[in-house]
Amino acid sequence: MTTTRVTDTPADPNIPGSSDSDATFTIGEVSGLTGLTTHTVRFYEKEGLFFGPVRRDSAGRRVFTDFELQWLRVCTKLRSSGMPLPEIRRYAELVLAGSGNETERLALLTGHEARVQQQMADLQEALDVIHHKVEIYTRHLGEGTADTLWTHGPEC
């Protein structure tokens, strides 16, 4: 499993600390590298989830930097963990606004972290119940008594 670390510095040559990488990617390459469809990448752009406008080449095709690619990977994790698009957009806006709003950025992230931790606890509880039921079925199948399940109450 690969972990991608992304800083809060937009890849913009006019913003100090931006990525110096000259590598660029087409939308198809970004799709292949992130697992997002090209439609989703366009949707994220339309929804304002990037740190600024996506650059275009001379033919008008989208050109993505390595930083934008990494940011999309972060967006994917935030979305798959349930962060609403408006919160991701707000986070991107705060980053683009620059220093002075780090407390608000942290509040967005810690709020989401708490929700994800609760989801994980809920899922663990559900997994425990399922595991218990699997053990009951395994035992009853081994004993040849699986046909009696639920006949004497909700044991499983």
Side-chain angles (χ1 to χ4, degrees), residues 9-20 51-53 55 65 96 98:
T9 308
D12 182 328
N14 299 317
I15 298 175
S18 293
S19 173
D20 293 329
F51 294 120
R55 291 184 291 161
T65 64
L96 187 59

Side-chain angles (χ1 to χ4, degrees), residues 58-103:
S58 60
R61 293 180 297 252
R62 290 166 180 85
V63 177
F64 298 89
T65 64
D66 183 56
F67 184 86
E68 290 163 329
L69 176 66
Q70 290 178 41
W71 169 245
L72 279 172
R73 289 178 174 146
V74 170
C75 283
T76 300
K77 296 304 178 195
L78 294 174
R79 282 297 297 143
S80 70
S81 62
M83 182 180 266
L85 289 176
E87 285 188 25
I88 298 172
R89 182 182 312 108
R90 180 65 184 145
Y91 182 73
E93 290 168 353
L94 290 168
V95 170
L96 187 59
S99 64
N101 59 35
E102 294 80 6
T103 302

Side-chain angles (χ1 to χ4, degrees), residues 79-154:
R79 282 297 297 143
S80 70
S81 62
M83 182 180 266
L85 289 176
E87 285 188 25
I88 298 172
R89 182 182 312 108
R90 180 65 184 145
Y91 182 73
E93 290 168 353
L94 290 168
V95 170
L96 187 59
S99 64
N101 59 35
E102 294 80 6
T103 302
E104 188 175 348
R105 291 185 220 174
L106 178 60
L108 278 171
L109 293 173
T110 56
H112 184 62
E113 180 183 41
R115 289 189 303 271
V116 170
Q117 287 173 338
Q118 184 59 56
Q119 290 172 351
M120 290 177 64
D122 293 345
L123 283 172
Q124 185 60 56
E125 185 178 335
L127 182 59
D128 292 345
V129 169
I130 293 166
H131 181 70
H132 177 70
K133 301 235 174 267
V134 166
E135 287 178 335
I136 291 170
Y137 271 90
T138 301
R139 187 180 75 241
H140 278 270
L141 283 170
E143 295 170 355
T145 59
D147 60 336
T148 65
L149 290 170
W150 283 99
T151 59
H152 303 292

Side-chain angles (χ1 to χ4, degrees), residues 27-55:
I27 195 167
E29 291 169 329
V30 166
S31 176
L33 292 167
T34 62
L36 297 170
T37 65
T38 56
H39 174 77
T40 300
V41 175
R42 288 185 198 101
F43 175 75
Y44 279 16
E45 177 187 12
K46 182 179 145 228
E47 289 296 308
L49 300 185
F50 287 95
F51 294 120
V54 173
R55 291 184 291 161

